Amino acid sequence: MILGSSAAAEDTALLTDTIRSVIRRTDPVDGRAERVYRDGPVDRDLWAVLGTEIGVGALAVPEAAGGLGASFADVAAVLELLGGELSRVPVLSGVVAAAALSRCDGAPRAAELLAGIATGETVVATVVTAPGTDPGFRAEHVGDDVFVTGRAGFVVDGDVADTVLMPAADESGKVGLYAVDAAVLTTERMDTTDATRILSRVRAEAAPATVLAERAPLGWIHDRAVVALACESLGVARTCLANAVDYAGRRVQFGRVIGGFQAIKHMLAEVSVAVELAESAVAHAVWAVVEGSDDDLAEAAAIAALACGDAARLAVEKNVQVHGGIGFTWEHTAHLYYRRALTSGVLWGSGDDHAQRLYALAAAGAATSSEASTDPRQEPASAVLSSTES
């Protein structure tokens, strides 16, 4: 990948430092677990500052649509920070929706929704489907009107969204992207392991809809969503590693800090290696989003999902172990990170799903290379010489 400039890195660091200071002031680590279970998976006070005053939602929205048009490197850094803080704000859903809406050129409704995301006044959820799967929704055209019917689960921020973007197949089988107002949908919050994120079931029964794109780039939307989630998971892994290292350097047992014990050293070293691999995978995925082709993005998304999912799972487990008895208490945040890693590990595809897709992409690439090798210019020199002599 191409590394960014030092000036860009400084700007990104300034942005994340500003956001971190707001989070630590509005939602400090001390007492965070208590607030999560008291207030639920939406921190409206924090979102009022991040979404409206700072304009975090505008980062992923193009300038032409009223956003900041920030680089995806900045968006990735913010997602990583929010993941590391377990911040309960609708940024992930906004990033995914902004990406989908940015591909709906000329759709007035798409421009309106992008403007709402940029100001923090509108929450837009997206039904993300894996490439090659049934979208789960059907669109019926009646004159100039369109009605969507279907259902989906695991929709991030689905029951707090103002609008839901959903893929639907029309009468001809063509899958487009549609916007449906939440008021005409039936939504239900799912009872999941993660107390810091909203996942919802969404059902539409002949719901009036607006066509955003007649052909939805479902694979591209899925891959962008997977990369965004991987950035969050990297933040979880990094924070848990830092927390474990800090505690191991302070906790004393048998007259020594536990960080001096060989078993703890090996445990943390294993997590550190996994986090470094995840960092590289995310850096490659960011490049693929900015400069790569759709095939590059598909491959990079699968790699990032695998690397970051593995790093997060390992980091949260070892963080609980290093903290010992306190790591199992309800008051500590260790279990919140553990729960986040578990749900993120299956949202928009499990590790097996991503591994199988990576295999399919590699096999397709190998088949393409094999077909290309029939060109004499691609064959070994000996084969070319023998054919010319005959």
Side-chain angles (χ1 to χ4, degrees):
M1 66 166 287
I2 300 174
L3 297 177
S5 66
S6 58
E10 290 178 1
D11 290 342
T12 301
L14 179 60
L15 172 65
T16 54
D17 286 345
T18 301
I19 295 173
R20 183 180 293 106
S21 65
V22 171
I23 294 172
R24 295 293 173 86
R25 184 174 65 251
T26 307
D27 184 29
V29 176
D30 291 340
R32 182 174 290 169
E34 179 185 353
R35 289 191 298 277
V36 167
Y37 290 106
R38 183 192 67 201
D39 302 333
V42 179
D43 189 336
R44 300 189 183 279
D45 292 336
L46 179 58
W47 181 237
V49 180
L50 292 182
T52 306
E53 296 181 20
I54 295 182
V56 169
L59 292 172
V61 176
E63 280 190 89
L68 296 176
S71 70
F72 191 75
D74 286 340
V75 175
V78 171
L79 287 169
E80 180 187 332
L81 170 62
L82 296 177
E85 296 288 343
L86 293 181
S87 297
R88 296 162 289 141
V89 290
V91 173
L92 177 64
S93 57
V95 168
V96 176
L101 292 167
S102 68
R103 296 289 293 264
C104 303
D105 296 333
R109 182 60 175 151
E112 293 173 7
L113 292 174
L114 282 170
I117 293 173
T119 60
E121 297 174 355
T122 304
V123 176
V124 182
T126 306
V127 177
V128 178
T129 57
T133 61
D134 189 289
F137 292 90
R138 298 291 179 267
E140 180 183 5
H141 291 72
V142 182
D144 294 332
D145 298 323
V146 182
F147 301 90
V148 172
T149 299
R151 62 182 62 195
F154 297 96
V155 180
V156 177
D157 295 327
D159 62 278
V160 296
D162 302 293
T163 301
V164 178
L165 309 182
M166 50 185 63
D170 62 14
E171 297 87 348
S172 66
K174 184 170 56 180
V175 179
L177 185 66
Y178 299 81
V180 181
D181 290 340
V184 298
L185 295 172
T186 301
T187 58
E188 176 189 4
R189 186 168 302 183
M190 301 175 69
D191 186 11
T192 64
T193 301
D194 187 3
T196 64
R197 167 172 285 152
I198 292 176
L199 295 176
S200 312
R201 295 186 184 91
V202 176
R203 186 170 74 251
E205 297 290 346
T210 303
V211 181
L212 299 176
E214 294 185 353
R215 290 191 180 276
L218 298 187
W220 184 86
I221 293 172
H222 171 270
D223 295 335
R224 285 289 294 262
V226 167
V227 171
L229 183 63
C231 295
E232 265 200 359
S233 296
L234 175 58
V236 168
R238 268 183 168 168
T239 298
C240 286
L241 174 59
N243 290 346
V245 169
D246 176 69
Y247 187 77
R250 294 185 291 106
R251 179 72 168 105
V252 176
Q253 275 191 330
F254 308 110
R256 295 173 55 188
V257 293
I258 63 173
F261 298 144
Q262 190 175 42
I264 301 295
K265 288 181 179 179
H266 287 181
M267 192 183 297
L268 296 178
E270 183 183 6
V271 177
S272 180
V273 170
V275 170
E276 286 192 16
L277 289 174
E279 290 171 352
S280 296
V282 165
H284 177 62
V286 169
W287 166 84
V289 168
V290 176
E291 299 185 30
S293 64
D294 287 354
D295 289 340
D296 291 331
L297 176 59
E299 181 183 85
I303 292 173
L306 285 168
C308 294
D310 288 346
R313 282 190 296 273
L314 182 63
V316 297
E317 290 173 3
K318 301 307 181 185
N319 185 44
V320 171
Q321 290 183 33
V322 168
H323 278 83
I326 193 175
F328 289 89
T329 61
W330 208 248
E331 292 78 13
H332 201 276
T333 59
H335 74 286
L336 294 177
Y337 286 100
Y338 188 89
R339 291 164 181 261
R340 169 63 71 88
L342 287 181
T343 55
S344 294
V346 295
L347 180 62
W348 300 330
S350 65
D352 286 344
D353 294 332
H354 296 304
Q356 290 176 14
R357 186 166 189 229
L358 191 58
Y359 173 80
L361 291 168
T368 302
S369 299
S370 177
E371 293 174 2
S373 67
T374 59
D375 186 337
R377 292 171 296 179
Q378 304 295 326
E379 293 180 357
S382 58
V384 176
L385 288 175
S386 62
S387 64
T388 55
E389 288 173 357
S390 61

